Amino acid sequence: MKFTPTKGVTFSMRDLQGFVSDYIKGKKHLHLEIGVITKEDIEYHSLGNPKKKSVAAAEHRLFEIGSVTKLFTSILLLELERQQQLSTDDTVGRYIHNGKNDYLNKVTLKSLATHTSGLPRLATNLNPTKNRLNPYSDYTEDDLLAFLADADFTDQMGSFEYSNTGVGLLGYMLCKVSGSTYEDLLKKYITGPLNMTETAVMLNAEQNDRFVDGHTSTGKKVPHWDLSVHAGAGAIKSSVHDMSLFVQANLNDDHPIASAIQKSHVPIMIGDSDLYLGWHKEKLLDQNILWHNGGTFGFSSYLAINKEQSIGVVLLSNYCFGSASIVDEYLDTIFKFITKKDLYPLMPLDPVGNKILEAMMQR
């Protein structure tokens, strides 16, 4: 594996190799980009051994960030509320008129952002096997509205259930309320003010040249995803350079969207639980961290911040958490039956990110 520190001296080669050794094992096409962030400084590290030489410097390579997009969607919700275009307490029914379905008049925008709307992870009329390697690409606005026409998950409301459908719907509604595309909202309210020029939904030709290939956990190259109407749930592409700027903006309050970002860090009591708009919370070395991860069939991402120490980390990888190949699944099942072990072990980025953050916290 090639190790390339591009800025700063927070971690040595030995430090980083110790943190990532299990993750990088066997990944022949790996691009793993790491951002180590404080209020004032950003340090980039790049690990990988790709056969195809990249035209871009490591920190400017583009990746699918998957569900980390949901953080951006929640911040857009809060910024549009600050602009008095809507309220987080508004219901879906206020903007999607369907007199036959009272459920939509109970579901709030806040509940979509906190995964407490009752909506399932995937809409019941989304068939992921229709286009197995790009499962959201054929799902249209008409499909979403048809699903909502008779959706009723009242009994599940108030309980946390992670929902791509819910945050995809939230992104769709923000576009309807503002009269803008998700791309335009992103640029106007987040990437523009934060000078994140390498973050987008639709890439131009120059950006596309920096967009790395994605791979399953077995190293198979897979197509990039098209999220269509689910853009708000996972459509953003970005670089570790830009995502580090985003993390840094979460650690500072001297920028144009500080109010919305800081509000996303404030917990909301729903039922017996403290939940967040976009973020998840957990304890690390007895301190609170806010985090989110993401995954498509060819990419993984992880982002976490420690507000108490004003530090954060972001990791972008062009390897999937698992495998989208049905052949891989069959082989893995047979191998596991014979050996009681996984042929293709699942290797998330989260533990790697937490190791790095823990080391930062102890310095």
Side-chain angles (χ1 to χ4, degrees), residues 55-56 60 62 197-198 203-211:
V55 298
H60 300 296
L62 299 181
T197 59
E198 301 174 344
L203 303 182
N204 60 36
E206 186 276 328
Q207 290 170 330
N208 206 55
D209 285 340
R210 292 186 276 127
F211 196 11

Side-chain angles (χ1 to χ4, degrees), residues 21-311:
S21 58
D22 288 339
Y23 183 82
I24 66 179
K25 200 175 296 179
K27 293 181 171 67
K28 296 188 297 183
H29 311 286
L30 179 68
H31 288 291
L32 176 60
E33 312 302 341
I34 301 172
V36 177
I37 303 108
T38 68
K39 267 189 172 184
E40 297 83 18
D41 297 308
I42 297 172
E43 175 179 315
Y44 305 116
H45 297 277
S46 178
L47 294 99
N49 190 26
K51 293 180 180 179
K52 183 180 178 182
K53 188 174 181 180
S54 175
V55 298
E59 66 267 29
H60 300 296
R61 296 169 185 151
L62 299 181
F63 297 73
E64 294 175 352
I65 67 168
S67 286
V68 174
T69 299
K70 293 179 174 68
L71 293 177
F72 290 79
T73 301
S74 293
I75 291 167
L76 287 174
L77 169 63
L78 290 168
E79 185 61 22
L80 289 180
E81 182 176 58
R82 192 180 74 83
Q83 301 276 342
Q84 299 184 332
Q85 295 190 45
L86 49 71
S87 167
T88 56
D89 292 319
D90 287 345
T91 65
V92 173
R94 178 171 180 175
Y95 303 107
I96 296 179
H97 305 293
N98 191 320
K100 298 179 181 179
N101 191 350
D102 191 51
Y103 167 68
L104 301 184
N105 296 319
K106 303 172 188 174
V107 176
T108 64
L109 306 188
K110 182 191 300 179
S111 72
L112 296 177
T114 56
H115 302 279
T116 55
S117 67
L119 287 168
R121 178 178 286 266
L122 298 177
T124 52
N125 64 342
L126 190 155
N127 180 5
T129 63
K130 185 177 179 182
N131 187 346
R132 186 177 177 83
L133 296 180
N134 197 357
Y136 294 94
S137 61
D138 297 323
Y139 196 80
T140 66
E141 178 181 359
D142 288 343
D143 292 325
L144 177 63
L145 295 177
F147 164 71
L148 293 173
D150 57 4
D152 187 0
F153 300 93
T154 304
D155 291 345
Q156 289 78 41
M157 289 180 66
S159 298
F160 182 89
E161 182 175 353
Y162 190 84
S163 176
N164 288 320
T165 303
V167 185
L169 171 60
L170 176 60
Y172 167 78
M173 294 182 64
L174 297 182
C175 294
K176 285 295 182 185
V177 171
S178 64
S180 301
T181 65
Y182 189 83
E183 183 93 70
D184 288 342
L185 286 175
L186 196 63
K187 186 172 183 179
K188 181 176 181 180
Y189 292 116
I190 301 181
T191 61
L194 297 182
N195 199 29
M196 296 171 61
T197 59
E198 301 174 344
T199 302
V201 174
M202 300 296 294
L203 303 182
N204 60 36
E206 186 276 328
Q207 290 170 330
N208 206 55
D209 285 340
R210 292 186 276 127
F211 196 11
V212 300
D213 294 330
H215 298 82
T216 68
S217 61
T218 62
K220 291 183 175 65
K221 181 180 171 182
V222 289
H224 294 123
W225 270 14
D226 302 298
L227 273 289
S228 185
V229 74
H230 283 87
I236 292 177
K237 293 88 175 173
S238 190
S239 64
V240 74
H241 170 273
D242 270 20
M243 292 305 298
S244 295
L245 291 177
F246 178 73
V247 169
Q248 199 167 56
N250 277 270
L251 303 176
N252 287 284
D253 57 7
D254 58 350
H255 53 83
I257 60 168
S259 174
I261 286 181
Q262 294 302 319
K263 194 170 182 179
S264 77
H265 302 161
V266 178
I268 300 167
M269 181 63 73
I270 297 180
D272 297 327
S273 303
D274 274 348
L275 299 174
Y276 293 79
L277 297 177
W279 294 94
H280 304 294
K281 184 185 81 171
E282 67 179 62
K283 289 282 189 180
L284 199 63
L285 301 179
D286 292 324
Q287 294 183 26
N288 290 331
I289 67 166
L290 297 177
W291 64 275
H292 211 294
N293 59 13
T296 64
F297 284 164
F299 295 85
S300 301
S301 56
Y302 181 71
L303 178 158
I305 60 172
N306 177 317
K307 293 274 289 181
E308 184 176 335
Q309 295 195 27
S310 296
I311 55 177

